[in-house]
Every structure is written in structure tokens, then in C-alpha cells.
Amino acid sequence: MNSRIVLTSLAAAALVAMTACTGSTPGDPKPMPDTGNPTSSEDTRTSTSSPTSTNASGSLTDADPCSLLTRSEAEQVLGPLKEEPKPQKIGSSRGCEFAPNRVFLSVGIRTDVGLAGVQATGGEIKDIKVGSHQAKQLVGAGGSCIVAIGVTSSSRVDVTLNAGASTDPCPPALKIAELVEPKLP
């Protein structure tokens, strides 16, 4: 039980540190099309998401993070879960926490920052592609891997896996991201 608390705390700290470092983004600012500003109502969840919707930001704003990965899909990659997936909120991310043995897995929706907001914070970032979406893979210290899947310039879905320092968390995190990606706009 103590290792799960430590792993959850480490993953939460990594997510908070990632969002804390997104204050400045290099580049030439340009106006974005109005896709609706996320507000405090952003936490309102619905039970379905529409992967074929043309309004990508709206789809993520309304999407239930626990609908992006089923329990069965998580178990295919990581083995049996100890409990049902449950909603979580860390910083500006609405997520869904899965509880497989000895690892921490979360699928989080961010509607306020895209791939440009992924910061190394002591880890290593690699540009990758997941399905038809651009993505970034962040390998952190202590056995964590985040696969951030870009949806729009201001939204993304993060798959966070913390497996501990003795196991490479990126191969299973990438497999989970590949299961999530077809459900995204």
C-alpha cells in the first residue's frame, strides 16, 4: 500500500511540475479560432465522447477520461486491476486512475495546453506519432513515462505510467496510448 501512495505521489508531482513549467512558450503569438474557453464547468463530465466530432476542443471538453480506456484494455497491457478505474483531478487535468499491481496509470485530458506545454522538467522528451496524432514521449526520473497525444494546439491527452525504476514504463505507456488514440477526434 505504501508503494502505491509513493508512486501516485510521484506521478502527481510529475504532472504538477509539467503544468507549472508551461508559463512561457517560444514562438510568434497568433490568434486562435474561438473554440470556447475552458471554465470551472470544465469538470462536468459526460459518459460518452464522440471520436468522429469535428469540434476537437469541444469533444475533449465534454469527454469523460474514463471512457478513453476500458478496464479490459488496461488489463490487456498491464494485467489485472485491483479496483475499478476512478476519476481524478490533478492540476488542470481531468483524469482517470487505473490501479494495476505495482504501477500507477492515469489517462488525463488537458483542454488548456497542447503539446507545446510538455516540458522536460529533468526528463527526456522525444517527438513521436501515435496513430494519426502528433505526440511527445516524456521519460522522467524514477520510472515514469508520459505519452502526450496532441489533439489541437491547446488540448492533449496524457497517458501517464509510473512503473518504478526497475522497469521501462514507455513500451506499455505507448501501448495504452495506441488504445486511447482511435477514440480521439
Side-chain angles (χ1 to χ4, degrees):
M1 181 69 174
N2 287 338
S3 66
R4 180 167 182 231
I5 291 170
V6 170
L7 291 176
T8 301
S9 297
L10 287 172
L15 286 173
V16 170
M18 251 181 31
T19 59
C21 296
T22 61
S24 65
T25 303
D28 183 27
K30 292 182 175 51
M32 298 286 294
D34 186 11
T35 58
N37 289 332
T39 63
S40 60
S41 65
E42 169 183 323
D43 197 39
T44 304
R45 295 178 177 98
T46 60
S47 61
T48 60
S49 65
S50 172
T52 59
S53 172
T54 57
N55 184 350
S57 179
S59 293
L60 283 183
T61 298
D62 297 336
D64 175 2
C66 290
S67 72
L68 297 176
L69 182 70
T70 67
R71 178 182 182 139
S72 173
E73 290 170 329
E75 289 179 333
Q76 286 174 20
V77 178
L78 300 172
L81 298 181
K82 295 182 278 185
E83 56 192 53
E84 288 298 315
K86 60 185 174 191
Q88 69 176 19
K89 184 146 175 81
I90 299 176
S92 64
S93 174
R94 290 179 297 110
C96 188
E97 179 182 341
F98 294 80
N101 289 320
R102 298 181 306 272
V103 300
F104 169 83
L105 170 64
S106 174
V107 176
I109 295 174
R110 295 186 177 277
T111 57
D112 61 345
V113 63
L115 289 179
V118 177
Q119 301 293 319
T121 61
E124 178 185 326
I125 295 177
K126 180 168 57 169
D127 290 326
I128 62 172
K129 193 159 185 166
V130 177
S132 64
H133 290 82
Q134 294 299 316
K136 291 189 182 274
Q137 179 177 294
L138 171 63
V139 180
S144 67
C145 183
I146 298 172
V147 178
I149 306 168
V151 176
T152 69
S153 63
S154 62
S155 66
R156 71 180 196 240
V157 172
D158 293 345
V159 173
T160 304
L161 184 66
N162 190 329
S166 63
T167 304
D168 181 359
C170 287
L174 188 55
K175 285 181 185 175
I176 295 290
E178 290 168 347
L179 292 169
V180 168
E181 188 274 337
K183 299 171 188 165
L184 301 177

